[in-house]
Amino acid sequence: MNTEFSVENEYDLANLIYKIGIRMSLYQSLPSVDKILKTADGVTLITEFGHSAVVNICRQLIEQGRESIKNENKLPHFFTDFKYTIETIRNKLQQQQQVNIQSVYNLTGTVLHTNLGRALWSEVAQQAALTAMQQNVALEYDLDTGKRSHRDHYISELLGQLTGAEAACVVNNNAAAVLLMLATFAQGKEVIISRGELIEIGGAFRIPDIMQQAGCKLVEVGTTNRTHLSDYRNAINENTAFLMKVHSSNYQICGFTKSVSEQELVKLANEFNLPVITDLGSGALVDLSQYGLPSEPTVQEKWAQGVDLISFSGDKLLGGPQAGIIVGKKAWIDRLQSHPLKRALRCDKVILAGLEATLRLYLQPEKLSEKLTALYLLTQPVNELLAKAEQLKTALQEKLGTDYLLQIEDSSAQIGSGSQPLAIIPSVAVTISTEIPGKLTALLQRFKRLPQPIICRVEKEKIWLDLRSLASLALLLETVKQL
């Protein structure tokens, strides 16, 4: 007999009646939605969160209560006392307002961590963005003439000062920049590119795929490790739109290699009256070697070599918000600006304000490593990181006790976001190890359950808390108190 209770004798019958009585009593003890709402606490919740939200949460909890009585013959803990009920309702309502894209502490040692949002904005960029959020701004309005202007106008002038290029165009990321250039100048035509530069970036997003979406034909020349100028020359025909270079910032091919520089390519292209376009990727506007960092080709270098259009990211080495920036000859930029795709790919006022403020920092190069957050993190002296590590170790030791061994060790940080993947930046980390099975995994979970989670890396059976990528030690120490 497929019933919830089976009865075989008088004892079972008595037991059944008892269980039914208990269950009915439990059901009757569940508060009604109306009863909760009419209490002083219920009125306060409605005032704070609104009637509909409170009612929905109450209904959910009462349904959970019914399920608990049915399956376990008991009330859930939040119905054992009315103060727990109100507390649970409030917690649920607050959770509804919690943004899932929450702030975390980056202790991975990767400064421009793609999965953690890449470059942190400088203070001036944050303030400019906040102003754009809170107030009307002269986005497409010329204050001098009182007429409509172009939203890229201010940034185009700035980039002209910084790079020497004639004009600039801004879209929402560098992939969009490449797509726009291909769609504008190469639709139905051929684009010649070295086989060794057919890169794949994060999320299996590939240069050939972008070309396909833009409606142009990819012409691969050379081999994976060696491409000669003659390979480009032999591939040029009447249907060639332009020659393209892609900076392989997220990988390196070593050994028996050969590539063609932009300078050589421009000279060849001029023979056939063709443009050269470069996807520079990381977008360095200064020589990073002056800060003791690995050298990276700059936008200015490519422009000086005669490249017609150069695209790069805003949220990598540039240190600003996510954006795709194209600089180059004005006639070519004007065509990009008038393409229908530009409107679909353009940036909003907040991004443009943050980007402009970031670029203005480059007008004072001597102060750049102080004010540009990404560059500051990358160039912190090791002795400063060591002092921070000492403070963090002390704070953690007080919370973790003797089950864990904490040490300060030399670490190896990296730039991240595909920039200089083989370059190692000296750093310092607090490491945590234990001989108790499962304890390390449990601690990682505790880190992630903090109000502001701690994201780190695990190597050599240790947790590594690398200080190079940490934005604020003071805030981290306050969070550790809640561990």
Side-chain angles (χ1 to χ4, degrees):
M1 187 175 183
N2 188 22
T3 60
E4 194 171 350
F5 299 109
S6 61
V7 180
E8 297 181 0
N9 51 50
E10 292 181 0
Y11 174 80
D12 286 343
L13 179 59
N15 191 40
L16 171 60
I17 293 172
Y18 173 75
K19 288 182 177 180
I20 292 175
I22 292 292
R23 181 170 295 185
M24 291 302 295
S25 175
L26 291 172
Y27 278 129
Q28 290 171 2
S29 68
L30 288 173
S32 67
V33 173
D34 191 55
K35 179 181 177 181
I36 295 172
L37 298 183
K38 287 182 176 179
T39 65
D41 290 321
V43 172
T44 300
L45 289 172
I46 291 172
T47 302
E48 189 174 348
F49 298 101
H51 183 271
S52 299
V54 176
V55 168
N56 288 336
I57 294 297
C58 288
R59 286 173 177 168
Q60 291 174 23
L61 292 181
I62 291 170
E63 183 58 35
Q64 288 180 36
R66 292 194 183 104
E67 288 296 315
S68 180
I69 293 169
K70 178 182 176 182
N71 298 324
E72 303 174 33
N73 284 318
K74 67 177 184 180
L75 288 172
H77 73 281
F78 48 79
F79 281 133
T80 58
D81 189 302
F82 190 68
K83 69 177 183 179
Y84 294 152
T85 305
I86 294 298
E87 184 180 324
T88 303
I89 295 171
R90 178 175 292 280
N91 288 340
K92 293 283 186 182
L93 289 164
Q94 288 173 339
Q95 286 172 15
Q96 285 184 339
Q97 305 303 311
Q98 178 67 53
V99 177
N100 286 327
I101 302 179
Q102 65 185 110
S103 59
V104 300
Y105 294 106
N106 179 8
L107 287 153
T108 63
T110 301
V111 176
L112 305 178
H113 200 303
T114 296
N115 298 342
L116 301 182
R118 291 187 178 170
L120 298 179
W121 293 24
S122 66
E123 289 185 13
V124 291
Q126 293 175 46
Q127 187 56 54
L130 187 61
T131 298
M133 291 178 203
Q134 296 177 332
Q135 302 175 29
N136 291 115
V137 293
L139 178 64
E140 295 182 3
Y141 185 85
D142 191 317
L143 292 170
D144 293 328
T145 65
K147 297 180 180 179
R148 182 170 183 169
S149 179
H150 195 283
R151 66 176 54 201
D152 292 353
H153 174 68
Y154 300 115
I155 289 174
S156 184
E157 285 189 347
L158 259 177
L159 284 166
Q161 286 182 256
L162 294 169
T163 68
E166 296 174 5
C169 171
V170 184
V171 289
N172 56 30
N173 62 21
N174 191 46
V178 174
L179 176 65
L180 179 61
M181 292 189 295
L182 292 168
T184 303
F185 302 114
Q187 193 167 37
K189 295 185 177 181
E190 297 179 356
V191 175
I192 302 174
I193 185 172
S194 168
R195 222 175 235 105
E197 296 171 9
L198 296 176
I199 65 168
E200 175 181 311
I201 58 177
F205 200 70
R206 301 174 175 179
I207 286 290
D209 295 336
I210 302 176
M211 289 190 174
Q212 184 178 15
Q213 289 299 316
C216 56
K217 180 182 178 181
L218 167 67
V219 177
E220 306 173 31
V221 297
T223 62
T224 302
N225 61 318
R226 290 179 70 82
T227 301
H228 302 271
L229 189 62
S230 59
D231 294 321
Y232 290 95
R233 181 183 292 277
N234 294 337
I236 294 173
N237 60 44
E238 65 281 356
N239 202 37
T240 300
F242 56 77
L243 310 183
M244 186 171 185
K245 286 282 291 181
V246 178
H247 177 47
S248 56
S249 58
N250 64 350
Y251 75 97
Q252 291 183 11
I253 299 176
C254 304
F256 187 57
T257 64
K258 175 73 171 69
S259 62
V260 179
S261 69
E262 274 88 348
Q263 199 163 7
E264 296 174 280
L265 214 54
V266 166
K267 188 175 180 181
L268 173 64
N270 287 340
E271 292 182 31
F272 296 89
N273 197 28
L274 291 172
V276 173
I277 289 177
T278 290
D279 170 12
L280 198 52
S282 296
L285 289 186
V286 293
D287 179 11
L288 295 178
S289 64
Q290 65 182 300
Y291 301 104
L293 296 170
S295 181
E296 180 81 5
T298 65
V299 178
Q300 293 91 325
E301 291 171 2
K302 301 306 174 185
W303 174 251
Q305 290 171 359
V307 176
D308 296 275
L309 292 174
I310 306 151
S311 74
F312 52 97
S313 296
D315 57 348
K316 294 184 179 180
L317 289 175
L318 184 68
Q322 177 182 301
I325 304 165
I326 308 168
V327 299
K329 295 181 178 176
K330 188 177 185 305
W332 290 78
I333 294 293
D334 287 345
R335 289 179 63 184
L336 292 173
Q337 296 286 17
S338 62
H339 193 280
L341 259 182
K342 173 60 189 347
R343 185 174 182 86
L345 300 175
R346 70 184 184 181
C347 295
D348 76 335
K349 62 177 183 176
V350 176
I351 295 297
L352 291 172
L355 180 58
E356 182 188 345
T358 301
L359 290 170
R360 290 194 178 280
L361 292 176
Y362 283 83
L363 297 174
Q364 300 173 354
E366 291 82 9
K367 295 292 184 179
L368 193 60
S369 62
E370 298 175 24
K371 296 183 178 181
L372 189 67
T373 306
L375 189 57
Y376 166 74
L377 293 176
L378 288 168
T379 57
Q380 291 177 94
V382 171
N383 62 333
E384 289 185 13
L385 298 178
L386 187 59
K388 293 179 180 180
E390 293 282 2
Q391 294 183 62
L392 178 58
K393 179 188 173 187
T394 300
L396 285 168
Q397 193 75 72
E398 291 177 0
K399 290 293 180 179
L400 299 182
T402 57
D403 287 346
Y404 297 94
L405 174 63
L406 277 69
Q407 296 176 293
I408 295 176
E409 300 189 45
D410 292 337
S411 182
S412 298
Q414 58 182 355
I415 296 174
S417 293
S419 302
Q420 295 286 347
L422 300 183
I424 299 301
I425 304 174
S427 188
V428 177
V430 175
T431 63
I432 308 173
S433 58
T434 180
E435 295 182 358
I436 304 174
K439 273 281 187 178
L440 214 59
T441 300
L443 181 57
L444 287 169
Q445 291 304 314
R446 288 169 66 188
F447 281 162
K448 291 177 182 177
R449 286 196 297 266
L450 287 165
Q452 186 169 343
I454 295 173
I455 310 299
C456 51
R457 69 178 194 263
V458 179
E459 292 176 2
K460 303 174 184 177
E461 299 182 348
K462 295 180 181 180
I463 291 174
W464 290 72
L465 303 172
D466 195 307
L467 279 299
R468 171 69 67 184
S469 51
L470 177 65
S472 173
L473 176 65
L475 292 177
L476 175 62
L477 294 177
E478 285 299 312
T479 300
V480 166
K481 291 178 182 179
Q482 305 173 58
L483 189 62

